[in-house]
Amino acid sequence: MHHRKLYVRPTLSPDDFDLAVVVSFGYFLPKSLIRSYRGSAPIEHTLLNGDKETGVSIIELDETRFDAGRILNQTVSKVDPETDFLKLHNSLADIGAELLIETIKDLDKFKVEAKDQDETLVTRAPKISKDMASIDWNTMNSDQILRMFNALSYRYPPYTHFNNNQVQLLQISSALPDDEFAKSKLNSERPSGTMIFDKKTNHLYIKCRDDWIQCTKLKVQNKNAVPPKDFANGYNLKDGDYFVIQ
């Protein structure tokens, strides 16, 4: 039997240190922007909502409420529409580290200039769950599905159902407007969820509420991830077969 050494956090008094720093998931949009996320998944909700800007805030610790302290320092960062959670997370981590050092170096000045958070701009960013990755082809447009993919696929790839099996979409993108196959086959009259396989490009096109997306890798539950060709052959897929909502 292996015994782990239990770490017990020492009890500290204010006289034992000069400054305490807590680095957490608290990324906030500046007060001048649309919303300020507060909760356990601000990056995911930034991407889900299609925000064009995000940012990092250095705030004071509030003795009674979490994430509600005065803003000491803050920076804004543009959000690339093609970025995903991991890229944005790492970018904000680098920005936050630099901003923290800048704040500590001139802490007295930033404390004098600190501003209260505008509670009217606070938007909750609750923990993500697998259910949030379920695709509703009838109500979701292509932009919403792509944002879902960018926000959640690092943990919960978007999923749908076919032949009573759950199918995860592991690689998706917009259907290219200059694709000749797309021009000839993909029209708005097709029912939502319709699948069309292009043998030439090995792309699986799927009809959303308003437009089409293309998938280049997918995974049926309890099976390995495969390219669309293997999926189409395995199910003898025909043009007009469709994913369903369950």
Side-chain angles (χ1 to χ4, degrees), residues 10 13 21 42-43 50 59 150 172-173 176 179 187 193 206 228 236:
S13 72
V21 176
I43 299 177
I59 65 175
N150 289 336
I172 62 173
S173 60
L176 301 177
D179 187 303
N187 63 72
I206 311 168
N236 193 25

Side-chain angles (χ1 to χ4, degrees), residues 89-239:
H89 173 277
N90 293 341
S91 173
L92 291 175
D94 291 340
I95 292 171
E98 294 180 3
L99 194 68
L100 177 60
I101 293 173
E102 174 189 305
T103 306
I104 292 174
K105 284 182 176 179
D106 206 353
L107 183 58
D108 289 339
K109 178 181 80 72
F110 285 111
K111 290 183 70 173
V112 170
E113 300 173 353
K115 300 178 181 178
D116 292 330
Q117 294 187 44
D118 187 344
E119 294 293 328
T120 65
L121 297 182
V122 170
T123 299
R124 299 298 171 186
K127 182 180 179 180
I128 63 170
S129 64
K130 182 180 178 180
D131 290 344
M132 295 173 66
S134 175
I135 300 174
D136 185 334
W137 299 105
N138 291 324
T139 63
M140 298 179 69
N141 59 38
S142 58
D143 186 53
Q144 288 174 303
I145 294 172
L146 291 171
R147 294 201 311 257
M148 172 197 290
F149 179 82
N150 289 336
L152 305 179
S153 62
Y154 78 100
R155 186 171 181 182
Y156 301 119
Y159 65 90
T160 182
H161 292 85
F162 183 67
N163 278 11
N164 295 317
N165 291 314
Q166 185 183 107
V167 181
Q168 294 178 329
L169 306 185
L170 303 182
Q171 291 179 354
I172 62 173
S173 60
S174 299
L176 301 177
D178 58 348
D179 187 303
E180 290 302 321
F181 180 88
K183 289 180 180 179
S184 63
K185 287 277 192 176
L186 313 184
N187 63 72
S188 59
E189 302 303 318
R190 298 268 192 171
S192 298
T194 296
M195 294 180 284
I196 298 180
F197 175 60
D198 180 8
K199 295 181 180 178
K200 182 178 179 180
T201 62
N202 194 22
H203 288 172
L204 183 67
Y205 293 91
I206 311 168
K207 175 68 166 54
C208 311
R209 188 192 71 190
D210 67 334
D211 206 348
W212 296 76
I213 59 173
Q214 58 187 17
C215 176
T216 54
K217 189 175 183 181
L218 62 169
K219 182 183 183 304
V220 179
Q221 68 183 76
N222 301 321
K223 296 183 181 294
N224 295 327
V226 296
K229 178 181 178 181
D230 293 351
F231 175 76
N233 290 338
Y235 284 98
N236 193 25
L237 199 66
K238 302 178 180 63
D239 281 0

